[in-house]
Amino acid sequence: MGPRLRILGVTHVLPDRDRAAAYSPRPLPDDGLVELSFMDAQFVDRAMPMRRLFFYEGPGVPPFPRLARALRCSLAAALAVFPPLSGKLVHRPSAGDVVVDCSPAAASSPGVRFVEAEYDGGIGDMRRVAGGSDEGDREALVELGPELDASELPAPVLAVQVTRPAVGGDGSAVVVGVAVHHAVADGHSVWQFMKVWAALSRMEVSQQSETVADLVAPPSFDRTPLRYPEAEELAGKILSLIAPALPVIRSPSSCPPPPDRWRRTFLIHADEIQSVKQHIRAHSQTTGEQPGTLPSTYLAVSSLVWTSVARAKSRDLAGGDAYFLVAADYRRRLGPPIDERYFGDCVVPCVARAAARDLRDGGGDGLARAAAAIRDAIRAQPECPVRAMEAWLEALRTVPRERFTFTGSSNRFMAYETDFGWGAPSRVELVSLFATELVLLLGAEGGGVQVTATLCPEHMEAFASNLLRFASGGNEE
């Protein structure tokens, strides 16, 4: 750890099956091994996990020891509901695949790492670092999130860190950091887990007598419905491409140095999103469509992000096409038995394509063209996820990466409703430290959308200027 963080204690949390005794989760395989689907396999090489930082402030925040105890106890109960998160990501040489080992032996050796720490500064310093107003303070940002080393298998899939500020007094502020390996859960699954954990923590804080069964329908971990005839072969192909040296995921010598990137978070308010929607509808004839209903919030904000990136990278994208990645959730497309309770990765990247010069058009035409391209790509996505994954692998092979705008998360994820028992968070940050170019969306209060961008320094200021100008109703000629 760096010089600004002091470790107060490290414990390991085991699933509390006794507390969840009245709960009947959907059964795991007898050996406790959950085989990864081809959708899970695409994320095995993510040596850096998904990190979420939840900031809590105010008089309702309990004293730190009591707060940490409530989080540990409720986490233990939540792990009994979501056993893959207490397991290990394991390589099986005999089968040539990767599985999640949820057996009691794997879950108890040694358990989910739970760190209690103190940051040398106030909560304002921690917010500033996490929000990206101090560009380049990467080391300080790393300190706020829990470590989760997945460079070699077997590897843990979940870690938690609870950090209090050294300045400001105990019981006034805290940051809860969560790291999850993407090969075990997508964004929908992470927030499914967070919702249950937060509810169990509220019970712990208020000493309510509800049971786990009162809180949640059993999540499903069964990958059987995703075992298409070609699925196993596709998963093997993906693993051979992204992790050819299993059980080593990333050796120290193969890891490139952290890219020179800036990270900033922006808030697009509900009225600004409405303005973007109206711009898109008013200029829809540019794309050959008749003005109709307003686009969705996701489509409007994604179009705003893509056009802002295209303008910021005008020199790099002087000619040719630009590409925008959308993570298409297949839960609703596939239908039962795959549904909202499915825990795992159920997303396949979908690629929108447009001429870079069209995206840079001012007056709303660029927004309309971006929206049309994203909408058309989603509509054209194959119904079979195997075919969709094959199309994505081909795009990844043939399209220069500098022409991609990679996006993740969704405004549907209402992270600001994560109440552990001391109120809603004052701030939530999604952290992807080593991305070269990435934009993450998150639902915010009042119908707004939080946009977190990781870009190179020469593009960040132009991106911010375009994003905020168009969000506020301005036009660029």
Side-chain angles (χ1 to χ4, degrees), residues 49 63 74 77 82 86 110 160 164 210 226 234 252 289 292 308 322 370 382 458:
S74 55
F82 298 91
S86 63
V160 175
R164 70 184 184 191
E210 291 178 277
L226 299 177
L234 180 57
E289 293 191 15
S308 298
E458 59 267 28

Side-chain angles (χ1 to χ4, degrees), residues 42 49 52 60 62 71 74 101-102 125 130-131 138 142 229 240 254 271 392 394 396 420 475:
Q42 65 180 314
R52 279 83 177 102
L71 288 174
S74 55
D101 187 351
C102 311
D125 299 317
R138 186 187 304 271
V142 170
S240 66
S254 69
D271 60 334
W392 160 239
E394 179 64 15
L396 196 59
F420 285 102
N475 290 323

Side-chain angles (χ1 to χ4, degrees), residues 60-72 170 204-206 422:
V61 177
F64 192 73
R66 184 156 63 91
L67 177 148
R69 184 170 58 251
L71 288 174
R72 276 196 309 271
D170 185 25
E204 190 75 30
V205 171
S206 61
W422 41 86

Side-chain angles (χ1 to χ4, degrees), residues 26 32 37 54 61 72 74 100 145 171 220 260 284 308 330 367 385 394 412 445 476:
R26 297 189 182 183
S37 74
F54 300 84
V61 177
R72 276 196 309 271
S74 55
V100 186
S220 173
D260 182 19
S284 59
S308 298
Y330 267 76
L367 284 170
E394 179 64 15
R412 294 187 297 109
E445 295 177 296
E476 183 176 342

Side-chain angles (χ1 to χ4, degrees), residues 157-241:
V157 298
L158 172 67
V160 175
Q161 179 175 311
V162 186
T163 307
R164 70 184 184 191
V167 179
D170 185 25
S172 61
V174 71
V175 177
V176 179
V178 181
V180 180
H181 198 296
H182 209 324
V184 176
D186 58 14
H188 176 94
S189 297
V190 169
W191 294 115
Q192 184 183 3
F193 162 71
M194 292 301 304
K195 183 177 180 179
V196 172
W197 181 20
L200 289 166
S201 179
R202 291 196 300 272
M203 289 167 49
E204 190 75 30
V205 171
S206 61
Q207 298 183 338
Q208 296 176 1
S209 59
E210 291 178 277
T211 67
V212 176
D214 297 325
L215 297 175
V216 59
S220 173
F221 314 105
D222 184 14
R223 268 63 171 171
T224 304
L226 299 177
R227 291 177 184 166
Y228 294 83
E230 314 95 322
E232 185 174 345
E233 180 182 352
L234 180 57
K237 178 182 178 181
I238 292 171
L239 287 176
S240 66
L241 287 172

